[in-house]
Amino acid sequence: MAGNMNITLKVWRQKNSKEKGYFETHLLKNISPDMSFLEMFDVLNEQLISEGKEPIAFDHDCREGICGMCSMYINGRPHGPNRGVTTCQLHMRSFKDGDTIVVEPWRAKAFPVIKDLVVDRSAFDRIMAAGGFISVNTGNAQDGNAIPISKEIADKAFAAATCIGCGACVAACKNASAMLFVAAKVTQLSLLPQGMPERKRRVENMVAQMDAEGFGACTNTGACSAECPKEISLATIATLNREYYLAKLTSENV
Amino acid sequence: MYTLDSKIPEGPLEQKWTKYRSTVPLVNPANKRNLEIIVVGSGLAGSSAAATLAELGYKVKVFCFQDSPRRAHSIAAQGGINAAKNYQNDGDSVYRLFYDTIKGGDYRAREANVYRLAEVSTQIIDQCVAQGVPFAREYGGMLSNRSFGGTQVQRTFYAAGQTGQQLLLGAYSALQRQVGMGNVKMYARHEMMDVVIIDGKCRGIIARDLVTGKLERHFGHAVLLCSGGYGNVFYLSTNAMGSNVSAIWKAYKKGAFFGNPCFTQIHPTCIPVSGDHQSKLTLMSESLRNDGRIWVPLKKDDNRHPNDIPEDERDYYLERRYPAFGNLVPRDVASRAAKERCDAGYGVGASKMAVYLDYSSAFERYGKIEANKRNLHNPDKETILNLGREVVKEKYGNLFDMYKQITGEDPYYVPMRIYPAVHYTMGGLWVDYNLMTTVPGLYALGEANFSDHGANRLGASALMQGLADGYFVIPYTIGAYLSTEIRTKPIPTDHPAFADAENNVSNHIQKLLNIKGTKSVDHFHKRLGKIMWDKCGMARNEQGLKWAIDEIKKLKEEFYRDLRVPGTANELNPELEKAGRVADFIELGELMCIDALHRNESCGGHFREEYQTPDGEALRDDENFMYVAAWQYNPDGNPILHKEPLIYENIKIAQRSYK
């Protein structure tokens, strides 16, 4: 079903991490408002292939807003203009016929560009490996109902746990800070009784790894939470700070 | 002739697993440190297996094609995970979960495997809670449950509509912990290109670093394929864009048998196709059928707005046809019923290929309860509905938001339009009780194997199976093999078998790049998908399947003549990745049609139009088809069929009825 929108796209092209990048302009005709933003890229890539050119590389997988792989910086905003939406769930009806749209990769020192719009977010995995877990081997668990957890606490922990690790918070932040990402995991695990034994080690180790990866400092601007597709609350950062200072004040690792 | 040995332990059903666990050979800790295991895929099965095996002391390598193991498509599972906890005191038990699963699978699954699955289901919940998975809770602090299709108890544990996400993040956390400790080496943005067989045993893989394009050789004493399902053979499905068959297809071509390839699950509640540009379909969780009611207008071609169609002019066809289970009939039954109504001309929406999933009576029911709780006397209808909307938002908010995002319509005020779509594949590599394929040392876990769901999977059972295989089955069963391998030193990867395998991979890549034709990978993928959906989808028949087999052969010939893959092999090249996967999908599509054609009966998701009851239900042929069809690759011609008879000693076989 062809649509009636004409869109001008200015897209970042970069051969690999070593070469310099540049913007490339493409005109797209007959775009349907029911298309998702990534489906528009499919149309563009199909067009490029048929012209014998190289298609634009971009990360994507589930296309239903949950895997966290898609990562486009659209008109100066991670995941584009809508609140609480990933790039893959953004639809062309959010734009107007004749619009010019600028698309860049996430920009952050800790997220080097691999190619075109694809960046390396493995720093997040390393932060998780440093402490984003509860140390419980398989087979050690007691009955799931043995520790009652109030609905309020469970709901709060869940809200923090919905982070998809896409990195929009870093891309949105003028300091490229990863505080919201770390805060979401620390909040989830420090709220739950299961997370208590490792509460101090966890926050110390995760923050140390975050700093080692080259993410910037937090200056409480709040762009991270405003641009987060899962709307992770800024209050989690307050929790992270509280957990961190409490851990540092009483730390055994001095 | 090869005989399939399913290695099911002796003894009464309920003691098989317990006894097996206590007698399976063990590997001592010092030897575990010298044994290397390769895990392909990082979803629920892969992550849970890798983490647990590393905890036990094995040296583990994990491969995934995404940029992080947390992206695996298990993340997108919505509704929940089943477990026979009987927390609701509603009559659930291990036996009942076992029975529901066998019946739901239309008596085409192995009794012993399914019983074991039901048995370990309770441990999964405990393990996940211990990891900090934030399941939904009641006010008293206890775990909350809901119902899924094909059951009459509430045994589904959930975390809003994001259960898969929370379970996968739990398994991913456990995996990252082992990565941090150095027990697991993670290879993200790596794709498995082939398995390496030495002296009849699987000894490693060839992987491609997707960023540099470099081919790598990796040795393992055992290889676990946890690479998920192959629903993307249909092009449009609820699977992620990258989900593919390639890992298990390469294994098939190296000698692992493929079990029941034609058993595909078409999920009844997905957002309908809106146009040719569509790249994937989005599921609306089955949990929505707990509270939503499915209907079409009583009159054909009724173009009125759904809110203008009065109650007595609506046909709640599932409640009408299946009063005992109503809107919670299993997926295959619900899908066929939707297709039947649409084919008969009662469909709704622009395409007329959709039915309504309506929440208005749930808003009202929940709203009244909420009004009572808040001591509101005689509230007006709109107040009640708004209170109800708040309750529904808490249960299913993310699903409603997603629907609105995709369609531009607000399901809090207009009924959702839904239609069936490809969702899951029950078929997969044939495995024995140990989850080992017909190639020694090569295992398949989770959706990649064929084992537990028969011809139709019940909702909330995929997460259960993935985690059961990874956390609680493979850590025990792998001992049966590895205990015989403690003297095997790591084989150097300059062994000729590794060199050969790498060479073949490299040649295949060059072949794809050198076609330099005119049509893109997606062009061929879409055409394959259409053939499969039309002829090997929700309804199949002999004539259509024969036609499809011919068409797929022609498509394959054209693919290798006219494909265009831009770029080179030595860089990040998503088109090249897709080309390799679609090449395998084309071959798989043919095998699926061959399997569907040979199975002259209807069962579960496999509906052959020639075999149905007078009222349109699936008509099994237990006398001739009560077996697993395990296909062996034959480089010289048609695949060879092996049969594993299914023996039911504990369940009485009956026509499956949900009426």
Side-chain angles (χ1 to χ4, degrees):
Chain A
M1 185 174 62
N4 46 12
M5 294 171 76
N6 293 327
I7 299 286
T8 306
L9 268 186
K10 286 188 157 174
V11 189
W12 186 257
R13 300 302 305 258
Q14 187 170 336
K15 184 115 183 85
N16 53 45
S17 56
K18 290 172 195 80
E19 288 184 40
K20 266 184 87 165
Y22 57 94
F23 279 104
E24 196 174 79
T25 305
H26 295 282
L27 185 65
L28 279 158
K29 288 185 176 153
N30 304 325
I31 294 296
S32 156
D34 289 331
M35 272 182 201
S36 73
F37 201 77
L38 296 185
E39 283 165 353
M40 175 190 64
F41 265 80
D42 294 342
V43 171
L44 172 59
N45 276 347
E46 195 71 13
Q47 198 174 303
L48 290 172
I49 294 167
S50 72
E51 289 165 5
K53 295 178 187 150
E54 220 183 298
I56 299 158
F58 61 94
D59 265 335
H60 64 110
D61 200 27
C62 79
R63 295 206 179 187
E64 48 188 274
I66 196 77
C67 77
M69 193 137 171
C70 61
S71 49
M72 291 186 185
Y73 197 75
I74 302 161
N75 286 342
R77 297 181 66 180
H79 296 304
N82 296 356
R83 257 190 108 91
V85 170
T86 54
T87 301
C88 65
Q89 295 281 279
L90 176 65
H91 282 66
M92 295 312 293
R93 68 179 82 91
S94 298
F95 297 90
K96 290 194 307 288
D97 181 29
D99 274 358
T100 297
I101 306 173
V102 182
V103 185
E104 299 168 77
W106 281 178
R107 304 268 187 208
K109 192 176 113 196
F111 289 164
V113 172
I114 293 175
K115 184 178 184 178
D116 296 341
L117 302 171
V118 177
V119 299
D120 178 354
R121 286 167 288 188
S122 53
F124 273 9
D125 290 326
R126 290 188 291 274
I127 293 174
M128 284 293 290
F133 48 75
I134 288 171
S135 297
V136 51
N137 283 359
T138 304
N140 284 343
Q142 56 183 330
D143 186 84
N145 263 347
I147 322 164
I149 299 171
S150 78
K151 186 173 183 305
E152 290 79 5
I153 295 291
D155 287 352
K156 264 194 197 168
F158 170 75
T162 57
C163 166
I164 56 174
C166 64
C169 46
V170 176
C173 177
K174 61 182 194 283
N175 311 318
S177 166
M179 283 286 272
L180 194 69
F181 170 76
V182 176
K185 194 43 75 180
V186 166
T187 300
Q188 177 204 345
L189 297 182
S190 65
L191 276 168
L192 297 170
Q194 304 93 303
M196 285 302 145
E198 292 170 286
R199 192 172 167 189
K200 289 197 271 181
R201 291 167 52 92
R202 175 183 308 117
V203 68
E204 286 184 280
N205 291 343
M206 289 181 82
V207 169
Q209 188 64 37
M210 171 180 86
D211 292 341
E213 296 289 348
F215 290 105
C218 173
T219 47
N220 279 316
T221 313
C224 51
S225 179
E227 298 292 358
C228 172
K230 297 296 150 185
E231 302 180 301
I232 302 290
S233 160
L234 205 55
T236 58
I237 292 185
T239 304
L240 171 61
N241 284 327
R242 203 166 53 238
E243 290 290 320
Y244 183 70
Y245 292 121
L246 186 77
K248 278 289 169 200
L249 282 172
T250 58
S251 177
E252 288 95 41
N253 308 326
V254 276
Chain B
M1 167 104 183
Y2 187 94
T3 357
L4 290 165
D5 179 4
S6 54
K7 301 209 173 78
I8 293 173
E10 294 296 316
L13 185 66
E14 49 294 337
Q15 286 167 26
K16 282 184 200 286
W17 178 236
T18 314
K19 213 173 143 210
Y20 180 89
R21 272 193 310 170
S22 326
T23 51
V24 68
L26 299 175
V27 180
N28 93 36
N31 285 330
K32 282 191 183 120
R33 283 196 289 275
N34 299 324
L35 291 170
E36 300 177 35
I37 300 172
I38 287 173
V39 178
V40 179
S42 64
L44 285 177
S47 286
S48 60
T52 306
L53 292 166
E55 287 163 9
L56 290 172
Y58 294 107
K59 280 163 78 176
V60 180
K61 288 178 176 178
V62 178
F63 295 79
C64 72
F65 68 80
Q66 300 92 339
D67 73 326
S68 160
R70 66 180 294 156
R71 314 280 186 223
H73 197 53
S74 305
I75 200 109
Q78 298 170 349
I81 175 164
N82 289 329
K85 281 282 196 188
N86 193 29
Y87 281 159
Q88 304 305 322
N89 194 29
D90 57 359
D92 200 9
S93 64
V94 167
Y95 183 84
R96 219 183 267 277
L97 173 53
F98 156 72
Y99 176 84
D100 285 348
T101 307
I102 293 274
K103 177 186 171 192
D106 215 354
Y107 308 95
R108 290 293 176 265
R110 225 186 251 154
E111 271 195 345
N113 282 54
V114 176
Y115 196 86
R116 175 178 67 187
L117 175 69
E119 235 179 319
V120 303
S121 68
T122 57
Q123 284 171 279
I124 297 172
I125 302 303
D126 300 340
Q127 181 62 29
C128 295
V129 169
Q131 289 169 343
V133 170
F135 284 117
R137 300 258 172 179
E138 304 293 348
Y139 281 102
M142 298 295 138
L143 291 158
S144 178
N145 291 118
R146 59 188 173 202
S147 288
F148 258 63
T151 67
Q152 289 174 316
V153 294
Q154 291 192 310
R155 64 161 74 98
T156 306
F157 294 78
Y158 64 99
Q162 289 156 255
T163 317
Q165 180 198 27
Q166 295 308 316
L167 295 176
L168 182 62
L169 293 183
Y172 161 75
S173 286
L175 173 64
Q176 289 306 110
R177 175 170 160 246
Q178 295 303 319
V179 170
M181 291 160 84
N183 300 331
V184 173
K185 179 125 179 58
M186 185 69 221
Y187 295 83
R189 291 197 197 272
H190 274 68
E191 182 154 7
M192 189 204 100
M193 306 303 287
D194 207 352
V195 290
V196 178
I197 314 278
I198 300 176
D199 297 331
K201 289 178 175 175
C202 185
R203 292 302 191 190
I205 65 167
I206 305 295
R208 180 167 179 267
D209 178 333
L210 298 180
V211 175
T212 62
K214 204 174 151 314
L215 295 179
E216 299 172 356
R217 305 171 185 182
H218 295 274
F219 165 81
H221 288 88
V223 173
L224 274 49
L225 302 182
C226 311
S227 52
Y230 48 85
N232 271 344
V233 67
F234 292 88
Y235 185 70
L236 285 181
S237 83
T238 65
N239 287 5
M241 302 302 287
S243 300
N244 66 79
V245 75
S246 291
I248 61 172
W249 193 251
K250 303 300 188 202
Y252 166 71
K253 290 177 87 168
K254 284 279 172 85
F257 292 4
F258 207 118
N260 298 331
C262 82
F263 286 174
T264 311
Q265 175 158 83
I266 316 275
H267 196 293
T269 54
C270 300
I271 301 176
V273 179
S274 74
D276 295 334
H277 57 263
Q278 196 123 4
S279 59
K280 80 153 269 159
L281 296 170
T282 303
L283 175 72
M284 288 284 105
S285 167
E286 175 161 311
S287 60
L288 292 170
R289 286 198 274 141
N290 266 286
D291 290 311
R293 298 177 73 196
I294 293 177
W295 62 277
V296 291
L298 262 179
K299 269 198 321 215
K300 273 190 192 179
D301 292 319
D302 192 334
N303 289 322
R304 285 177 292 176
H305 189 276
N307 293 347
D308 295 335
I309 300 179
E311 198 58 29
D312 58 354
E313 292 177 44
R314 299 175 176 192
D315 177 15
Y316 295 92
Y317 58 87
L318 287 176
E319 298 168 30
R320 167 170 62 76
R321 285 178 66 180
Y322 308 100
F325 282 70
N327 291 296
L328 281 175
V329 290
R331 293 175 175 174
D332 54 336
V333 177
S335 290
R336 272 198 294 281
K339 180 179 190 297
E340 185 276 330
R341 280 293 84 186
C342 293
D343 288 350
Y346 297 91
V348 300
S351 64
K352 297 282 173 204
M353 290 306 270
V355 300
Y356 289 124
L357 174 62
D358 193 341
Y359 257 71
S360 46
S361 60
F363 296 144
E364 200 172 327
R365 181 159 46 86
Y366 284 124
K368 279 182 183 156
I369 297 170
E370 202 57 25
N372 281 336
K373 274 195 204 160
R374 297 188 190 183
N375 274 326
L376 295 175
H377 300 294
N378 299 320
D380 58 40
K381 187 159 184 207
E382 206 42 40
T383 309
I384 290 178
L385 289 178
N386 282 333
L387 287 170
R389 285 181 184 116
E390 280 172 37
V391 177
V392 168
K393 190 179 171 99
E394 190 163 299
K395 289 185 171 225
Y396 312 106
N398 69 315
L399 302 170
F400 276 59
D401 291 347
M402 193 151 70
Y403 182 88
K404 189 177 173 190
Q405 228 10 271
I406 292 172
T407 62
E409 288 177 0
D410 189 347
Y412 288 104
Y413 296 92
V414 186
M416 296 184 198
R417 280 174 294 111
I418 52 155
Y419 195 69
V422 175
H423 181 54
Y424 185 90
T425 45
M426 283 73 70
L429 292 184
W430 183 92
V431 290
D432 62 18
Y433 192 71
N434 294 334
L435 306 181
M436 200 197 279
T437 67
T438 48
V439 176
L442 181 64
Y443 291 79
L445 280 66
E447 194 179 347
N449 73 31
F450 87 104
S451 70
D452 296 345
H453 306 296
N456 172 60
R457 179 175 64 76
L458 289 183
S461 284
L463 303 185
M464 172 172 70
Q465 187 221 336
L467 290 180
D469 287 359
Y471 283 136
F472 295 110
V473 178
I474 196 75
Y476 290 96
T477 60
I478 203 165
Y481 177 72
L482 288 182
S483 61
T484 66
E485 289 291 330
I486 51 174
R487 283 175 200 85
T488 308
K489 297 266 175 302
I491 298 171
T493 53
D494 55 6
H495 187 284
F498 275 99
D500 269 1
E502 185 186 318
N503 220 1
N504 290 339
V505 169
S506 173
N507 289 343
H508 185 60
I509 289 173
Q510 285 312 321
K511 184 174 170 187
L512 293 169
L513 286 166
N514 288 339
I515 300 168
K516 297 191 190 302
T518 63
K519 296 195 181 81
S520 70
V521 181
D522 280 358
H523 167 90
F524 290 101
H525 198 178
K526 283 181 188 178
R527 279 171 58 193
L528 173 68
K530 186 161 168 32
I531 297 170
M532 293 301 291
W533 179 246
D534 287 348
K535 305 296 175 194
C536 197
M538 252 190 294
R540 303 150 174 194
N541 62 52
E542 185 183 343
Q543 193 194 358
L545 288 164
K546 284 183 172 159
W547 178 87
I549 291 168
D550 271 355
E551 283 302 298
I552 294 170
K553 282 189 174 133
K554 284 186 227 158
L555 189 71
K556 183 175 174 181
E557 185 274 322
E558 196 185 326
F559 178 85
Y560 283 102
R561 178 164 47 78
D562 200 19
L563 175 72
R564 175 182 291 180
V565 182
T568 68
N570 309 316
E571 59 179 334
L572 179 68
N573 188 343
E575 285 298 310
L576 178 62
E577 295 164 30
K578 281 198 286 185
R581 294 170 192 162
V582 171
D584 294 334
F585 276 136
I586 292 175
E587 295 180 3
L588 164 77
E590 187 182 341
L591 181 68
M592 288 171 72
C593 292
I594 291 173
D595 185 40
L597 180 64
H598 111 282
R599 194 170 274 279
N600 288 322
E601 65 161 351
S602 295
C603 59
H606 169 66
F607 191 73
R608 281 280 299 271
E609 286 167 339
E610 304 95 316
Y611 308 100
Q612 50 181 307
T613 63
D615 48 355
E617 305 293 339
L619 185 62
R620 287 199 324 264
D621 178 354
D622 290 337
E623 204 167 308
N624 295 306
F625 290 96
M626 195 133 74
Y627 61 76
V628 177
W631 296 90
Q632 181 184 11
Y633 177 67
N634 173 12
D636 307 318
N638 286 332
I640 301 156
L641 174 65
H642 301 267
K643 298 176 184 177
E644 180 203 339
L646 291 166
I647 299 152
Y648 292 95
E649 291 167 334
N650 299 278
I651 273 187
K652 201 171 152 283
I653 310 292
Q655 202 215 328
R656 187 162 156 253
S657 168
Y658 292 96
K659 288 183 196 278

